[in-house]
Amino acid sequence: MSEREPPKRLDDLTARISRARQSGQTLHDKAGQPHGASKSAFGQALRVGVEMAAALGVGFFIGWLLDNWLGTSPWLKIVFLLMGAAAGVLNVYRLASGFGYAAGYRHPEKTPITTEDTTTKD
């Protein structure tokens, strides 16, 4: 095997990575969203509306399908519409609190993940 020098691009990449690490730049904010993500009031309001409408629509559609199949109209539409409303409210709550965007659905500052073994050996 011959030992060759790494290409110039690789040296440049290594230098940029080390500069970024030293400057303390992070790719995500505390809520787990990437930097530069739209946080405008209009964007948030639009997302809340879409979350609620989608949850209600899916709930109603599932109820409609089951009502047509089982002949129980309108009871399953009502039940699944209420379940869709609950799911929409839960999604909006998660959006507003920033919960559910980090890995494992945890707030990093509240529940740190440790790698140390908690069992004791005798």
Side-chain angles (χ1 to χ4, degrees):
M1 289 190 196
S2 64
E3 294 184 27
R4 298 186 308 190
E5 291 184 24
K8 185 74 173 164
R9 297 182 326 206
L10 188 57
D11 289 338
D12 183 44
L13 176 64
T14 305
R16 288 190 335 217
I17 290 172
S18 65
R19 280 194 309 262
R21 285 183 179 159
Q22 289 173 356
S23 68
Q25 293 177 351
T26 59
L27 298 176
H28 295 86
D29 61 7
K30 289 184 180 180
Q33 295 178 341
H35 280 298
S38 175
K39 294 184 180 180
S40 68
F42 178 71
Q44 291 289 337
L46 186 64
R47 183 163 178 194
V48 165
V50 168
E51 292 274 352
M52 285 299 295
L56 287 169
V58 168
F60 183 81
F61 182 70
I62 291 171
W64 177 76
L65 283 176
L66 289 174
D67 270 339
N68 284 341
W69 182 46
L70 300 172
T72 57
S73 188
W75 297 110
L76 291 178
K77 282 183 220 165
I78 294 169
V79 168
F80 279 92
L81 187 67
L82 291 175
M83 289 175 67
V89 169
L90 180 63
N91 286 341
V92 170
Y93 170 74
R94 286 181 177 168
L95 173 69
S97 66
F99 184 72
Y101 295 104
Y105 292 103
R106 295 183 181 144
H107 285 289
E109 63 275 357
K110 291 184 181 177
T111 56
I113 298 173
T114 60
T115 58
E116 59 193 22
D117 189 13
T118 58
T119 60
T120 59
K121 295 180 182 177
D122 292 332

